[in-house]
Amino acid sequence: MPQTILLLQYDASKAAIVQELLATFNDGSFVIEWIRSCAGSLDRLNDRTKNVIAAVFIDLVLPDAKELEAFDRIFQASPHTPILVLSSPEREDIAEQAVQRGAQDYVLDDRLDSHLLSKALRNMLERAANAEALFIEKERAQVTLNSIGDAVISTDIAGNVTYLNQVAEVMTGWRGAEALGRPFSDVFRIIDRANPEHAVDPMAMAMRQNKTVGLTAGCSLIRRDGFESAIEDSAAPIHDRRGEVTGAVMVFHDVTEARAMTQRMSYLAHHDYLTELPNRLLLNDRLSQAIAAVRRHQQRLAVLFVDVDRFKHINDSLGHTIGDQLLLSIAGRLVANVRKTDTVSRQGGDEFVILLSKVAQAEDAALSANKILAALSNPYRVMEHDLQITVSMGIGIYPDDGTDAETLVKNADTAMLHAKDNGRNNFQFFKSDMNEHALERQSLESGLRYALGRREFELHYQPKMDLETEAIVGAEALIRWRQPGQGIVLPEKFIPIAEQCGYIVPIGRWVLREACRQAQRWLDADLAPIPVAINISAVELRSKDFVPGVRAVLQETGLDARYLEFELTETALMQDPASTIAVLRALKDMGAQLTLDDFGTGYSSLSYLKRFPIDALKIDKSFVRGLCTNAGDANIVSAVVNMGKSFGLRVIAEGVETREQLLALRAQHCAEGQGYYFQEPVAANEFAQFLESNSATTAAA
Ligand code: C2E
Ligand code: CA
Ligand code: CA
């Protein structure tokens, strides 16, 4: 589309000349609109319904306005439209003034020719197009710079600010207009928190080194009002066309949130979520540092491994919320009872590890341990519950019990387990032979997990004898664990572990089924009809499924309950007498027999035990052992025998090893006995042979 050129010329003959000259080189790329008044021209320029005027030719001799006044009005109406002034030679000074006020150029009308006019017009249009393109380019840069999330500041070579985008305005607190021309360091104030003395000026560096430079990590920007934000940035030099540095530009953004997030993540990675105490990771760090520090000064430090006694019980019975609150209180007391320089960490669960960073001697650690034991044993008030706890502690000393963090903590842990074995609520120092014990325990524990599935258990049987006739009156089933490559493991070794790990319940169920099946087989084979006794531990007795399990096994094996006997210890009965009585009643109602095992080693209060529906007492083998050599033991045996009789209970002596013991028991009128003197526990088939030959000899007698 052709461009429109406005010709403002009052003199009609002059206008005709100009139009004629323009026509000589018009290839259709423009049209001329001739207007004779200033007012008419202003109307045309402002008329948005018509074509935009691309250029104005103006002769300032006009009827309705003074010369320069006319120019100003036209120029203001359209400041971006190029204007060429046509002037007579005698008014050249006015034409010059018009150029100063914004006209692009002027030509004198006495020299007007088509060549001159065409050149002037082409120049005007080209420059206008360039200006437009530049404007658009600048506009685009401006919009871009204001819409990116990064802040941008540029400076000249002297380091004075030449530009700020909107984000930079917000972040520095400086308006662009105020900042322009000021030294960069006034507007952009940063400090390196890690190294506050060190002044950083990335812009100067970028210009000096003539390359892009990044800011040191951890820098903060100080806003004009003093507010501080973490930033990350880079500065780059600006070059002119010849490649010379003329300034620099800096792009930066706020990383306060990102940095806070990183810090939080690192905090979380090093602290326990519940108590906010250092966790295992951070403890290891601190411990390693502390070791390095004391090594140099040839000092000691101590690691205390603290484990809450029976915490699981609290959690299970009162719930996790209360458990968590209790752990928080414990953590608080631990922190309150060590020095500021010590570290209390939570390893997870109810385990805490304390690093005492400086102890002169092992006794100092013992003092701290005692203080902690005392502090933790005071009652806790947790959500309307009054709770009391104890803890078991193990102590490892550097360098005696280990020279690295891991070994020290591990050995303190081992010592803690010993404190548990030692009756809880105490502390133990690590001793080097503990490791062996701990290792063995651990291997037993992991072996036990698979023992049932791998059919590694078997039952041995030991007869109970009538001491008068030496006839077999019963059998006790005793479990054996045949560990591949290890031989037989005796129950004393693994039953306590099985009890602690809960494996005892399925193991006990297996024993019950196996013993019942065996007893029924002997009955089926017409061997002497004797009851089989099995040992029940406290954990089994408390398990809800115990009574239904017994009922199910009896049904499954077809054994009459009168051939089944249970051996229980006093301690097992006393743990929860009320519910135990109910369990025992249920067993009695089925027709089974109940024997009190290891009698004499526990409460031994028969008047109290009267409440339990038991049939027999088993005198503990420790008294039988001393029967012929120790008057005290002999007295106890005689007392138990008499007590049993007066309560109508059968009495059995266990651990009978010699003929003298047998005779002494007979003299006391103890009816039954069991022990190596008669027979060691043996496998089922061997026991069957023994049963057979015994019934033959006793029948013959
Ligand atoms: P307990 O119930 O007191 O069993 C008697 C223990 O004395 C058995 O040891 C037996 O072998 C041993 N013994 C028998 N005669 C003599 C003797 O003349 N002299 C000496 N010094 N000892 C004799 P064992 O078989 O090692 O069992 C140890 C304990 O393990 C048992 O003590 C019992 O408490 C427990 N136990 C055994 N089997 C089972 C089981 O199936 N379940 C449960 N829960 N505990 C069991
Ligand atoms: Ca027993
Ligand atoms: Ca016993």
Side-chain angles (χ1 to χ4, degrees):
M1 198 164 82
Q3 290 183 300
T4 307
I5 290 160
L6 175 65
L7 173 61
L8 175 50
Q9 175 72 277
Y10 177 68
D11 186 322
S13 60
K14 282 188 179 175
I17 294 169
V18 171
Q19 289 191 71
E20 232 166 80
L21 288 171
L22 286 171
T24 57
F25 59 86
N26 190 354
D27 51 1
S29 63
F30 58 88
V31 293
I32 311 289
E33 273 183 40
W34 173 39
I35 296 178
R36 301 186 66 188
S37 68
C38 183
S41 297
L42 289 172
D43 286 348
R44 173 64 184 88
L45 284 169
N46 290 328
D47 188 346
R48 307 210 169 263
T49 63
K50 295 198 176 140
N51 284 348
V52 175
I53 302 296
V56 179
F57 288 0
I58 180 169
D59 186 332
L60 292 171
V61 180
L62 293 166
D64 58 342
K66 284 222 183 86
E67 290 156 318
L68 284 173
E69 187 192 319
F71 175 81
D72 286 346
R73 284 164 72 182
I74 297 291
F75 182 69
Q76 271 160 29
S78 185
H80 300 298
T81 313
I83 302 175
L84 182 74
V85 178
L86 306 169
S87 170
S88 56
E90 53 275 22
R91 294 177 191 278
E92 189 169 353
D93 59 326
I94 287 175
E96 267 168 6
Q97 283 182 55
V99 169
Q100 272 161 26
R101 289 173 184 224
Q104 203 144 85
D105 208 349
Y106 68 92
V107 291
L108 297 176
D109 50 15
D110 61 335
R111 296 184 210 150
L112 222 46
D113 64 39
S114 71
H115 175 70
L116 193 70
L117 259 189
S118 93
K119 210 170 90 185
L121 181 61
R122 205 168 51 243
N123 276 347
M124 281 170 84
L125 293 176
E126 241 166 47
R127 279 161 79 177
N130 279 345
E132 182 67 14
L134 198 64
F135 177 80
I136 289 171
E137 194 53 42
K138 261 191 149 171
E139 186 66 17
R140 182 170 26 233
Q142 190 71 38
V143 169
T144 309
L145 287 170
N146 281 336
S147 57
I148 59 173
D150 287 346
V152 179
I153 303 182
S154 62
T155 67
D156 57 19
I157 184 84
N160 295 321
V161 173
T162 52
Y163 175 77
L164 259 88
N165 73 349
Q166 280 169 5
V167 181
E169 287 183 333
V170 172
M171 284 184 65
T172 59
W174 285 83
R175 309 251 349 131
E178 296 171 295
L180 290 188
R182 279 183 182 267
F184 177 68
S185 53
D186 282 7
V187 177
F188 187 79
R189 283 170 50 218
I190 44 174
I191 72 164
D192 182 352
R193 276 271 163 245
N195 191 1
E197 305 307 313
H198 181 69
V200 260
D201 184 353
M203 295 288 253
M205 208 193 292
M207 290 193 278
R208 199 170 52 240
Q209 301 180 355
N210 193 10
K211 66 169 196 203
T212 304
V213 293
L215 190 68
T216 358
C219 272
S220 290
L221 172 72
I222 318 285
R223 206 165 62 189
R224 202 171 178 182
D225 60 5
F227 179 84
E228 216 176 297
S229 50
I231 58 161
E232 223 171 58
D233 69 8
S234 67
I238 302 177
H239 302 113
D240 63 14
R241 272 191 297 181
R242 291 182 304 280
E244 297 292 324
V245 175
T246 59
V249 61
M250 157 101 109
V251 179
F252 56 101
H253 58 264
D254 192 327
V255 292
T256 310
E257 253 172 60
R259 209 172 280 171
M261 180 78 92
T262 320
Q263 271 164 7
R264 179 77 192 143
M265 305 263 278
S266 142
Y267 181 86
L268 287 178
H270 289 101
H271 291 82
D272 166 48
Y273 70 95
L274 174 66
T275 59
E276 305 240 334
L277 289 176
N279 64 10
R280 190 188 300 256
L281 214 68
L282 185 52
L283 175 84
N284 264 350
D285 264 19
R286 297 228 179 127
L287 186 50
S288 302
Q289 277 169 24
I291 287 174
V294 299
R295 179 186 298 134
R296 254 175 275 131
H297 303 104
Q298 302 199 318
Q299 289 168 323
R300 287 160 191 270
L301 60 76
V303 171
L304 270 58
F305 202 109
V306 183
D307 189 286
V308 182
D309 296 330
R310 301 200 169 88
F311 180 74
K312 191 174 152 12
H313 178 68
I314 294 175
N315 240 356
D316 290 350
S317 53
L318 300 176
H320 286 271
T321 320
I322 289 179
D324 283 356
Q325 290 302 316
L326 179 61
L327 286 174
L328 273 170
S329 306
I330 293 172
R333 289 192 195 178
L334 287 175
V335 171
N337 281 281
V338 299
R339 283 179 300 186
K340 280 243 164 344
T341 46
D342 298 334
T343 298
V344 176
S345 74
R346 181 167 173 236
Q347 300 280 294
D350 56 346
E351 293 176 348
F352 297 87
V353 171
I354 301 171
L355 157 64
L356 303 177
S357 55
K358 244 183 236 164
V359 294
Q361 53 208 4
E363 288 73 53
D364 294 348
L367 283 177
S368 289
N370 268 324
K371 191 172 159 199
I372 289 168
L373 279 178
L376 295 184
S377 64
N378 289 325
Y380 297 77
R381 180 96 189 140
V382 180
M383 298 163 99
E384 274 130 50
H385 292 271
D386 285 314
L387 303 174
Q388 194 127 25
I389 57 140
T390 58
V391 297
S392 299
M393 262 188 267
I395 305 177
I397 304 281
Y398 170 90
D400 317 50
D401 305 330
T403 50
D404 61 275
E406 202 186 331
T407 312
L408 273 174
V409 172
K410 202 185 76 206
N411 287 344
D413 186 2
T414 304
M416 181 277 291
L417 290 175
H418 272 258
K420 293 255 180 206
D421 289 346
N422 211 40
R424 305 188 168 91
N425 194 20
N426 72 112
F427 65 86
Q428 295 287 319
F429 280 97
F430 176 75
K431 294 184 208 75
S432 52
D433 61 355
M434 284 180 177
N435 255 334
E436 239 167 284
H437 182 86
L439 278 178
E440 186 190 327
R441 192 203 140 95
Q442 192 161 41
S443 97
L444 284 176
E445 191 181 319
S446 57
L448 266 182
R449 194 172 312 151
Y450 307 108
L452 252 190
R454 294 177 181 163
R455 299 168 179 274
E456 290 169 4
F457 291 120
E458 48 191 75
L459 287 186
H460 281 191
Y461 299 87
Q462 187 179 36
K464 298 182 182 180
M465 319 294 291
D466 180 317
L467 292 182
E468 219 40 69
T469 64
E470 292 193 34
I472 297 178
V473 291
E476 179 176 7
L478 294 157
I479 193 169
R480 298 292 179 259
W481 179 16
R482 199 177 290 277
Q483 239 194 336
Q486 309 271 319
I488 283 184
V489 187
L490 287 175
E492 230 106 65
K493 265 208 163 143
F494 68 86
I495 293 287
I497 299 174
E499 285 174 345
Q500 279 164 31
C501 304
Y503 301 147
I504 190 66
V505 172
I507 292 175
R509 177 71 63 88
W510 177 86
V511 169
L512 174 70
R513 178 178 293 125
E514 187 61 23
C516 288
R517 202 180 279 155
Q518 190 57 61
Q520 185 60 42
R521 254 184 239 143
W522 286 330
L523 287 173
D524 291 345
D526 270 341
L527 293 170
I530 48 150
V532 173
I534 62 169
N535 295 282
I536 302 298
S537 58
V539 183
E540 291 175 77
L541 203 60
R542 282 203 308 268
S543 123
K544 278 191 210 62
D545 295 335
F546 181 63
V547 171
V550 171
R551 206 170 276 128
V553 167
L554 284 174
Q555 191 148 36
E556 176 193 325
T557 56
L559 184 72
D560 188 327
R562 69 193 149 117
Y563 296 113
L564 182 58
E565 189 171 333
F566 294 100
E567 297 196 0
L568 307 132
T569 62
E570 290 167 90
T571 6
L573 300 191
M574 290 305 191
Q575 284 192 4
D576 184 359
S579 67
T580 303
I581 288 175
V583 171
L584 299 190
R585 283 258 147 73
L587 297 175
K588 284 263 18 139
D589 289 348
M590 280 180 228
Q593 311 254 329
L594 302 177
T595 295
L596 203 49
D597 208 348
D598 300 348
F599 192 73
T601 58
Y603 298 77
S604 315
S605 157
L606 256 190
S607 57
Y608 190 69
L609 289 171
K610 220 171 43 180
R611 296 168 48 203
F612 295 99
I614 47 175
D615 304 286
L617 291 181
K618 216 174 192 185
I619 306 173
D620 189 70
K621 50 183 172 284
S622 59
F623 305 112
V624 176
R625 190 184 307 131
L627 185 57
C628 304
T629 51
N630 181 314
D633 288 345
N635 282 336
I636 290 174
V637 171
S638 129
V640 174
V641 171
N642 289 322
M643 260 201 284
K645 275 193 189 138
S646 59
F647 280 100
L649 303 174
R650 279 163 44 224
V651 178
I652 308 161
E654 71 174 0
V656 182
E657 296 183 358
T658 62
R659 182 150 181 87
E660 290 85 69
Q661 288 166 348
L662 167 64
L663 296 177
L665 287 165
R666 268 189 195 155
Q668 306 248 22
H669 303 289
C670 177
E672 294 173 34
Q674 183 184 350
Y676 297 162
Y677 174 73
F678 306 106
Q679 177 68 52
E680 288 182 15
V682 290
N685 50 358
E686 211 175 316
F687 186 84
Q689 284 169 22
F690 189 66
L691 256 187
E692 227 164 346
S693 64
N694 178 267
S695 50
T697 50
T698 46

